[in-house]
Amino acid sequence: MIPGGSGGAPLASPEGTRAILRRFDIRPAKRWGQHFLVSPRALDRILDAAGLDAVDSVLEVGAGIGTLTTALALRAGWVTALEVDRRLLAALGAVTEFLANVRLVAGDALAVEFADLFQGPPGAPRKAVANLPYNIAAPVLIRLLDPTLHLVRAVVTVQREVGERIAAAPGAEAYGRLSVAVQYRGVPRIVSRVPPGAFLPAPEVESAIVVIVPHAQPPVAVPDEAEFFRVVAAGFGHRRKTLANALARGLGLDVRTVDAACVAAGVSPRVRAETLGLEAFAALARALHAALGDVTG
């Protein structure tokens, strides 16, 4: 049983979580988007999705009071638990006190160097497993998928809408800039929906558990990744405009230049960005490379 608050109640339960919150006089902070996991079923689904092994080195972002942390530590070789709210560190320390393979780190997930946080030997498989705060889920996920971290798997619980955006295919209503950014880095899949009642306090929306398996190499060839993401951002920056007009406005280029690049890339300048897949955006980035160099130069 995962350590709990009182009376043997596990942390992954309303009783266990409330006991810890009372013991350390903690009130969930809206500022940090705090919703503590209280569902054993959801916890099991996260762990199953992570596919943990004793040789794995795991980074958990937003460890909270340690509900997921302790479960990870019982399965992985090493766990680093990152938490920005220093009010929670005493509770987190008490819950993980007897787990020798857990390292607690106080820090901001938008500022710390993730590469410095992984424990274990250099060859240990790296995984990120986290219930991400809703308000920073997208930028934190993009940071976690940085190829220099060499993750073999990321499992994140996010707002359901965000999960649907991550996994959306071209043409879907949810498809957008985040879809392209994540899918350039890895293959995402929603493995489960999580109801509001799985958290304390309950959020107003459903959540989703998303597994992302990072690509060993990018699935498309681009001359410059920063330019590729600029093209994607420009394409989605004005969704009601045609692709050529959106790119011209977002990239500061003449429409005729963009039209020519679209033709060279085999893409109609009159479509909208939400219809384009990774290869089409990569082709546009290649076709616009020279023009973008002139702009930045």
Side-chain angles (χ1 to χ4, degrees):
M1 179 177 288
I2 296 170
S6 65
L11 272 179
S13 70
E15 298 80 11
T17 294
R18 288 193 182 99
I20 287 291
L21 297 180
R22 285 195 301 267
R23 177 181 169 189
F24 292 92
D25 193 24
I26 296 168
R27 294 183 180 179
K30 290 184 179 180
R31 174 188 179 188
W32 304 119
Q34 290 170 348
H35 300 278
F36 302 110
L37 186 65
V38 295
S39 167
R41 183 179 182 184
L43 178 60
D44 286 342
R45 287 181 173 176
I46 293 168
L47 297 172
D48 289 345
L52 297 170
D53 192 277
V55 298
D56 290 339
S57 178
V58 178
L59 172 62
E60 180 192 7
V61 176
I65 60 173
T67 306
L68 179 57
T69 315
T70 54
L72 294 171
L74 295 176
R75 292 161 177 79
W78 302 269
V79 177
T80 299
L82 178 68
E83 177 53 55
V84 69
D85 188 349
R86 294 181 180 273
R87 300 176 312 145
L88 302 183
L89 292 178
L92 190 54
V95 167
T96 61
E97 182 179 3
F98 300 106
L99 297 170
N101 61 338
V102 174
R103 173 191 176 195
L104 306 183
V105 176
D108 185 345
L110 294 175
V112 299
E113 292 294 336
F114 288 152
D116 297 335
L117 301 185
F118 287 93
Q119 302 184 81
R126 293 180 170 186
K127 296 179 178 180
V129 185
N131 296 322
L132 294 178
Y134 286 166
N135 55 341
I136 59 169
V140 170
L141 178 58
I142 295 302
R143 294 197 71 212
L144 287 171
L145 294 177
D146 186 322
T148 63
L149 294 183
H150 304 292
L151 291 186
V152 298
R153 181 171 297 197
V155 179
V156 294
T157 304
V158 295
Q159 184 176 343
R160 192 188 82 182
E161 178 185 347
V162 173
E164 291 172 346
R165 287 165 56 201
I166 289 169
E173 184 178 353
Y175 185 71
R177 180 178 177 182
L178 181 61
S179 316
V180 176
V182 171
Q183 292 169 32
Y184 178 80
R185 295 299 187 199
V187 179
R189 179 170 59 95
I190 296 176
V191 297
S192 181
R193 291 184 178 181
V194 183
F199 299 94
L200 182 71
E204 296 181 355
V205 296
E206 283 190 336
S207 300
I209 301 169
V210 182
V211 175
I212 303 164
V213 179
H215 298 300
Q217 297 292 334
V220 292
V222 297
D224 182 284
E225 286 192 353
E227 284 183 1
F228 170 74
F229 289 120
R230 281 181 61 202
V231 170
V232 173
F236 286 106
H238 302 279
R239 294 183 72 114
R240 294 186 178 181
K241 294 183 177 294
T242 62
L243 180 65
N245 287 332
L247 290 175
R249 182 168 181 175
L251 298 172
L253 297 174
D254 184 271
V255 173
R256 289 173 297 180
T257 300
V258 175
D259 279 341
C262 287
V263 172
V267 176
S268 170
R270 290 180 293 278
V271 300
R272 286 180 169 76
E274 56 263 34
T275 66
L276 304 183
L278 280 176
E279 183 51 57
F281 275 114
L284 282 170
R286 294 191 293 268
L288 288 165
H289 179 58
L292 289 174
D294 291 339
V295 171
T296 56

